[in-house]
Amino acid sequence: MIDPLLNKLLKKPLCGAAKQLIKCGVNADAVTLIGFIIGILAVPAIIFEQYILALCLILLNRLGDGLDGAIARETSPTDAGGFLDITLDFIFYSAIVFAFICAAPEQNAIAGSFLMLSFMATGGSFLAFAIMASKHNIDSPKYPQKSLHYMGGLAEGFETILVLCLFCLFPSQFVLIASIFAAICWLTAIIRIWMGYNTLIATIKPKDLSG
């Protein structure tokens, strides 16, 4: 929900760091992969209840996510890089929730599974519309720098990371936090489906619909 504002605030410092990494020969895809590996290391940390370590790894993952985009914009963004970035992001988000389920299955299993299901709803509606938006040349004015159409919502990147951090800071409140955020994700998915459907109806010409 506040991703566009956050992107504006972080653009300059990320750009500066990106330029230094480019001078060292680091490319965007390498940062994406390294950031993903660092983030996935939070899974065993959570399972063994090392929550502060997990929090640090999650934040480092997000730093990498910001840097890879900045590097791409300073060099040459590619569809392959955008594909890799968003795919690994979705895996990372669900992996953190899975780790909390493993850490306390009797307590966290239902709420965690419901949250992962809500991730499927938000992610599926997001990606499905991105495909159609690309096919019909629908612009994304809030995220012109992205390699695919970004449909906004109540639950976006910042909100998701905030929740993952709250899980690490207050692991005993996982069920409550997960349940609240799952409800927000479902509301986001419903809004995206409604907006996406109506946008496509309004955009696609009758001859396209007949095909």
Side-chain angles (χ1 to χ4, degrees):
M1 186 167 59
I2 67 170
D3 278 14
L5 175 60
L6 194 63
N7 289 337
K8 288 181 180 179
L9 292 174
L10 295 178
K11 184 177 181 179
K12 187 173 182 179
L14 286 175
C15 179
K19 289 179 179 178
Q20 296 303 315
L21 289 172
I22 292 169
K23 290 179 181 179
C24 297
V26 179
N27 63 50
D29 292 349
V31 175
T32 299
L33 288 170
I34 293 170
F36 174 72
I37 293 169
I38 291 173
I40 287 298
L41 290 174
V43 172
I46 291 166
I47 292 173
F48 289 103
E49 300 183 355
Q50 301 298 312
Y51 297 117
I52 299 303
L53 173 60
L55 175 62
C56 294
L57 293 169
I58 289 170
L59 293 175
L60 285 173
N61 169 273
R62 292 299 87 193
L63 175 61
D65 187 63
L67 285 171
D68 63 6
I71 292 172
R73 289 189 293 275
E74 290 294 321
T75 53
S76 54
T78 65
D79 289 342
F83 164 77
L84 183 67
D85 179 54
I86 195 159
T87 300
L88 297 184
D89 276 353
F90 281 136
I91 295 172
F92 166 71
Y93 294 151
S94 293
I96 298 302
V97 178
F98 175 72
F100 277 95
I101 293 174
C102 292
E106 291 185 2
Q107 175 183 336
N108 296 342
I110 293 178
S113 298
F114 184 56
L115 180 56
M116 292 174 74
L117 177 62
S118 76
F119 284 172
M120 287 297 299
T122 55
S125 58
F126 171 88
L127 293 174
F129 185 78
I131 293 169
M132 296 302 175
S134 176
K135 181 179 179 181
H136 297 285
N137 298 314
I138 300 173
D139 294 329
S140 178
K142 287 187 177 180
Y143 303 95
Q145 78 280 10
K146 298 293 187 179
S147 57
L148 72 166
H149 190 287
Y150 265 56
M151 180 182 276
L154 299 174
E156 295 184 316
F158 172 78
E159 291 80 17
T160 303
I161 296 307
L162 176 61
V163 166
L164 299 186
C165 291
L166 289 175
F167 288 159
C168 294
L169 293 171
F170 309 101
S172 64
Q173 300 301 315
F174 175 86
V175 172
L176 175 62
I177 298 169
S179 299
I180 293 173
F181 192 59
I184 295 172
C185 286
W186 278 108
L187 182 57
T188 296
I190 291 169
I191 292 172
R192 282 177 175 171
I193 292 168
W194 183 85
M195 289 182 62
Y197 178 81
N198 284 283
T199 298
L200 291 171
I201 287 292
T203 302
I204 301 174
K205 297 178 181 179
K207 64 179 182 179
D208 296 328
L209 289 172
S210 63

